[in-house]
Amino acid sequence: QVQLVESGGGLVQAGGSLRLSCAAFGRSFTIYRMGWFRQAPGKDREFVAQIWWNGGNTYYADSVKGRFTISRDNAKNTVDLQMNSLKREDTAVYYCSVDTNTDSRYDYWGQGSQVTVSS
């Protein structure tokens, strides 16, 4: 079993920045990939960004490309999401997730972090 604990959510002004963090806890698990997703009220959960653990390759949704940066610390089993130039459209609950095997599916999820961008 793997537990993901998130931190860093909050309220920011449009154009501002916020940094989310997520730590993975457990025993006998391997991280292949970690990602960030978000869900706005009344909408489906959508992909935001991901990072492969060994090589560090990243992939972003077009809506956040150039504004958000995902990074990881392999030794600490943590992943961060640096969010810059925030827009009101970024308001959502953000979830981190981890892929722990070779099936290309995310297996565990964090508790969610509220990010609210005011105008």
Side-chain angles (χ1 to χ4, degrees):
Q1 297 294 321
V2 179
Q3 294 179 332
L4 300 177
V5 180
E6 302 178 27
S7 61
L11 173 67
V12 296
Q13 293 274 76
S17 298
L18 200 64
R19 189 177 186 92
L20 301 179
S21 296
C22 175
F25 299 92
R27 297 202 303 175
S28 301
F29 71 96
T30 300
I31 299 176
Y32 288 86
R33 178 181 54 158
M34 291 192 74
W36 288 96
F37 298 76
R38 66 187 182 186
Q39 187 169 24
K43 295 187 176 182
D44 293 333
R45 185 174 298 182
E46 66 174 344
F47 168 80
V48 175
Q50 65 185 357
I51 185 166
W52 279 265
W53 218 243
N54 285 336
N57 294 326
T58 59
Y59 181 74
Y60 298 90
D62 288 341
S63 59
V64 306
K65 192 175 299 182
R67 300 187 298 120
F68 291 10
T69 302
I70 187 170
S71 60
R72 87 276 194 256
D73 187 329
N74 300 70
K76 297 180 179 180
N77 283 350
T78 58
V79 62
D80 290 354
L81 185 69
Q82 178 66 46
M83 303 180 290
N84 298 327
S85 301
L86 283 162
K87 307 173 181 179
R88 287 207 299 168
E89 304 90 85
D90 297 317
T91 295
V93 177
Y94 284 71
Y95 300 88
C96 67
S97 190
V98 60
D99 178 5
T100 61
N101 53 55
T102 60
D103 66 355
S104 300
R105 301 174 71 93
Y106 285 98
D107 305 303
Y108 303 95
W109 297 84
Q111 81 277 14
S113 300
Q114 178 67 53
V115 173
T116 302
V117 183
S118 63
S119 60

